[in-house]
Amino acid sequence: MNAADSAWIMTATALVLFMTLPGLALFYGGLVRARNVLSVFMHCYAIACLMSVLWFLLGYSIAFGPGASGLWGGLDKAGLSGITADSLSGTLPEILFFAFQMTFAIITPALIVGAYVERINFAFLLLFSGLWMLLCYAPVVHWIWGGGMLADGGIFGATGVRDFAGGIVVHETAGIAALILAIMLGARRDNSKPPHNPGLVMVGAAMLWVGWFGFNGGSQLAADGGAAMAITVTHISAATASLTWALWERIKFGKASMVGLVTGTIAGLASITPASGFVGPWAALLIGAVAGVLCQEAVTLIRNKLKVDDTLDVFAVHGVGGIFGTIMIAALGAGTWAAQLGSLAIVGAFTTVVTVVIALVCRAIVPMRVDAEAESNGLDLSSHGERAYDLTS
């Protein structure tokens, strides 16, 4: 065990959890109507709790077990079987590696929340999120990070896919699942209301930015120059994408918005995530500059032209950003075109099929969407019996 590496990954674990709680919750919560903000907080918090338990029981073993097939890790490590405080994973205690990866298993299904806010049935959300993490996310983790079929020595030969911190594993899978659920749910009955609290959006985005240092820097799994470079390029990409998003808004609409500026931040962070361990600062500047325009145009395409109510633009920002960053790894010579594009296609097809099947099964068990009255009254009261703001108290 290396004490410095372990201390850094303990810190990174806290930072990645901080991305979901409270970062993502505040970012998403500020973007919805006031009558739904508590439901968004509830979604993110409940997912964090449920994924933690499921990752302990089954998810970690499926993702990082010693399965020989290349398809999944098996159940040898279910319930952390055989893992003690002295067990090692590289230079880290394995229990720490488990905890670090658990925070990724939390935030990935939590990202999908943005697609179905203001109309999802809470029971469906929990059932779908749990099954999706175990049957979609965990196998993909094994394929790419657990030595499975897409890693080095797998179906693409000696050089497998390069995905440093989750362009495919996190952002492509969550983005595609979000788009599918948005299509299956249909549009909100009233999607004309602006974000109720842009200030919360900015605070949440700032927390995500800080937490992303643990997300990308921690994926080096060591306290070294590689982690420092990952943090640096992450910051440069985020800053550049923020500026290009705002500039593109200014060119198109005459004004640059706060919500747009910070959404550009998230686009830059998602886009640099897969490449953060393989590129330098100038490449990060390029990736961020393109991401701020590319993801904004993806928002326009999905929302205005395709008329899909992916409420908080999960696919356009996270999905498109993660896919773009994964492609840029090959374009910049840090990975092979066959492995990068092939893995995107394989994971994309797998995620699509599994997401549709899980959603259909869950919909047969519990309603997928709340009724019209509950949606009109807001999910805070209709689903949880609470209000975020009591202006009479």
Side-chain angles (χ1 to χ4, degrees):
M1 187 193 79
N2 183 287
D5 294 348
S6 299
W8 163 232
I9 301 306
M10 287 180 191
T11 304
T13 299
L15 285 170
V16 182
L17 181 60
F18 183 70
M19 291 173 70
T20 305
L21 303 174
L24 187 69
L26 290 171
F27 180 71
Y28 279 172
L31 287 168
V32 300
R33 292 185 294 170
R35 66 190 64 182
N36 291 308
V37 60
L38 275 186
S39 72
V40 174
F41 293 168
M42 185 75 168
H43 296 168
C44 291
Y45 209 100
I47 284 174
C49 297
L50 180 60
M51 296 312 113
S52 300
V53 173
L54 293 178
W55 187 250
F56 160 65
L57 293 175
L58 294 169
Y60 179 71
S61 186
I62 293 171
F64 292 104
S69 67
L71 296 176
W72 74 313
L75 300 178
D76 289 354
K77 294 186 177 183
L80 295 179
S81 177
I83 298 173
T84 68
D86 297 322
S87 304
L88 292 181
S89 176
T91 62
L92 305 174
E94 187 170 4
I95 193 67
L96 174 58
F97 180 72
F98 157 84
F100 179 63
Q101 290 295 335
M102 178 177 63
T103 59
F104 282 67
I106 288 170
I107 197 169
T108 306
L111 289 175
I112 305 172
V113 166
Y116 51 61
V117 292
E118 301 196 315
R119 59 201 191 279
I120 196 75
N121 178 31
F122 186 61
F124 176 90
L125 174 148
L126 292 177
L127 184 59
F128 173 85
S129 297
L131 290 175
W132 188 87
M133 191 277 283
L134 292 175
L135 300 178
C136 184
Y137 173 78
V140 172
V141 172
H142 182 74
W143 297 352
I144 295 176
W145 293 340
M149 67 177 186
L150 302 181
D152 292 351
I155 62 175
F156 295 111
T159 302
V161 67
R162 296 288 179 260
D163 184 5
F164 189 70
I168 298 176
V169 173
V170 174
H171 294 290
E172 185 191 19
T173 59
I176 290 174
L179 188 64
I180 290 169
L181 287 183
I183 293 170
M184 294 181 70
L185 271 170
R188 291 164 291 167
R189 289 179 171 83
D190 181 4
N191 58 10
S192 62
K193 299 295 191 296
H196 93 280
N197 194 333
L200 281 187
V201 180
M202 178 271 167
V203 171
M207 291 176 174
L208 283 165
W209 192 339
V210 172
W212 226 292
F213 289 170
F215 198 82
N216 290 356
S219 293
Q220 179 71 4
L221 300 177
D224 60 12
M229 180 60 80
I231 288 173
T232 300
V233 300
T234 297
H235 188 79
I236 291 171
S237 179
T240 309
S242 303
L243 294 173
T244 57
W245 186 296
L247 176 61
W248 195 239
E249 266 193 338
R250 178 72 172 78
I251 292 171
K252 290 199 302 180
F253 307 118
K255 294 180 180 179
S257 68
M258 167 58 72
V259 170
L261 181 74
V262 302
T263 304
T265 305
I266 306 306
L269 291 166
S271 297
I272 195 62
T273 289
S276 55
F278 311 116
V279 302
W282 283 103
L285 192 77
L286 172 63
I287 289 172
V290 175
V293 176
L294 175 66
C295 293
Q296 187 176 158
E297 287 303 301
V299 169
T300 301
L301 173 66
I302 293 167
R303 183 187 299 175
N304 298 335
K305 295 183 179 180
L306 299 181
K307 304 297 184 183
V308 175
D309 190 12
D310 178 356
T311 313
L312 307 183
D313 306 311
V314 182
F315 179 77
V317 175
H318 293 278
V320 171
I323 291 168
F324 166 64
T326 301
I327 293 171
M328 286 300 294
I329 293 172
L332 294 167
T336 69
W337 283 103
Q340 299 307 113
L341 296 179
S343 296
L344 282 169
I346 291 169
V347 172
F350 175 77
T351 301
T352 299
V353 172
V354 173
T355 299
V356 169
V357 171
I358 292 174
L360 290 174
V361 169
C362 293
R363 192 169 68 181
I365 298 171
V366 294
M368 188 176 192
R369 182 169 178 158
V370 298
D371 59 35
E373 182 179 1
E375 186 175 341
S376 177
N377 291 335
L379 301 189
D380 290 0
L381 270 178
S382 62
S383 295
H384 308 296
E386 299 172 297
R387 291 183 187 272
Y389 308 104
D390 185 354
L391 300 180
T392 63
S393 63

